[in-house]
Amino acid sequence: MIWTMLLVSALAYAQQGLEMDLWPSGPTTSNGDPNDLAKVTVFLPLKSVATGRAVVICPGGGYTHLAFEKEGTAWAPFFNAQGIAVIVLKYRMPHGVWKVPLEDAEEAMRLVRRMSATWDINTRQVGIMGFSAGGHLASTVATHSKGDAAPDFQILFYPVITMEQGTTHQGSRDNLLGKKPKRKLLNEFCNEQHVSGSTPRAFIALAHDDKGVSPLNSISYYEELCQCNVPATMHIYPTGGHGFGILQSFPYHFEMMLELKAWLNSF
């Protein structure tokens, strides 16, 4: 009954997203593909329920494509119903130019804060969310970015965290860093190595039987967050595999959504 009411409310608050070019004057770094344009799609809650909070969403896809709906736009009704603005990022694929996705994600964070007055957003309540390789990007922003690009909270679903051989998702590593990256570059994108006391609070969700991205990615990240006294919540569901996003076919979908809602209400 509770979930039915939540879903009805979410659908009632859903709005058509506004698509914007992220780099209207052109990006800082090129990935070599002029047809691969970074964009954001913005979904704002009704003013009557707006809380000032916002989340930038980075869909996954192994740094080769984006699962833009189930790990992006389909989440807008859920967040908008809670008064949270949603900004879904279509980041560019790296094609071996590792700076590209990070530059896009950081610019999306800055854009939200630049537009805070227009979009009724509190600049100190801007989070980042990511799935799989998008989770790697989100956790990179959470552990590396400074100033207006730094998030206030992070939400990670079955994320790639490390670039270490055997634990990482090999395709994501190859597509981001190339086939033979130098050790220094690998270390830079092993995000478990960059957690600090200033890393924002985290919600992490994954399935125990994930064969696409080892759960060890999330576990090592959670351990580092705990070591640094960063508030963190991790839910490991018994089954569900990889890439379930917001699909109701995920066996623990309703529990997961209620747990995420409870976490968002906890701070």
Side-chain angles (χ1 to χ4, degrees):
M1 183 66 177
I2 295 175
W3 174 250
T4 302
M5 293 173 63
L6 177 62
L7 182 59
V8 170
S9 298
L11 292 173
Y13 292 139
Q15 299 181 24
Q16 182 67 39
L18 170 66
E19 186 179 88
M20 301 172 57
D21 286 336
L22 184 62
W23 303 99
S25 300
T28 304
T29 302
S30 172
N31 66 354
D33 183 356
N35 296 315
D36 187 10
L37 303 177
K39 297 177 181 291
V40 292
T41 306
V42 182
F43 299 85
L44 300 178
L46 295 177
K47 287 183 178 291
S48 59
V49 299
T51 62
R53 187 174 285 182
V55 61
V56 173
I57 301 181
C58 305
Y63 285 122
T64 62
H65 64 282
L66 298 179
F68 202 69
E69 184 176 358
K70 70 174 180 176
E71 296 178 353
T73 55
W75 283 86
F78 169 79
F79 284 108
N80 283 178
Q82 298 172 72
I84 301 172
V86 170
I87 299 86
V88 183
L89 173 62
K90 177 190 173 295
Y91 55 93
R92 293 168 296 146
M93 297 301 101
H95 301 307
V97 185
W98 59 264
K99 292 181 180 180
V100 166
L102 181 56
E103 284 185 359
D104 288 352
E106 289 188 329
E107 181 62 14
M109 296 293 295
R110 296 188 190 100
L111 173 66
V112 174
R113 290 189 166 107
R114 287 199 302 270
M115 297 296 292
S116 60
T118 303
W119 294 345
D120 294 321
I121 289 170
N122 181 340
T123 57
R124 291 184 290 184
Q125 283 290 313
V126 183
I128 195 159
M129 179 176 184
F131 301 77
S132 194
H136 181 264
L137 179 56
S139 63
T140 302
V141 174
T143 54
H144 290 66
S145 302
K146 308 295 182 186
D148 284 347
D152 298 295
F153 59 92
Q154 56 181 315
I155 302 169
L156 307 176
F157 278 74
Y158 40 86
V160 179
I161 294 292
T162 190
M163 290 286 109
E164 293 290 357
Q165 200 91 35
T167 304
T168 189
H169 177 253
Q170 193 64 41
S172 296
R173 170 178 145 152
D174 291 348
N175 292 322
L176 181 65
L177 304 180
K179 296 287 187 180
K180 297 181 179 180
K182 294 183 179 180
R183 184 71 244 180
K184 182 178 180 180
L185 186 61
L186 278 178
N187 289 345
E188 185 65 19
F189 285 94
C190 287
N191 292 332
E192 75 280 7
Q193 297 182 20
H194 298 279
V195 175
S196 70
S198 60
T199 301
R201 67 179 65 237
F203 177 96
I204 306 168
L206 64 150
H208 174 76
D209 63 350
D210 190 333
K211 305 302 182 186
V213 174
S214 170
L216 294 176
N217 283 264
S218 294
I219 292 168
S220 64
Y221 194 62
Y222 178 77
E223 286 180 342
E224 292 300 326
L225 291 167
C226 290
Q227 288 290 332
C228 293
N229 295 315
V230 175
T233 296
M234 183 166 65
H235 296 276
I236 304 178
Y237 300 99
T239 60
H242 186 75
F244 47 81
I246 201 171
L247 297 177
Q248 292 190 23
S249 57
F250 174 55
Y252 301 93
H253 170 80
F254 299 113
E255 293 91 338
M256 178 188 75
M257 300 296 276
L258 289 171
E259 285 160 350
L260 176 55
K261 183 177 185 292
W263 180 80
L264 288 164
N265 289 334
S266 71
F267 63 95

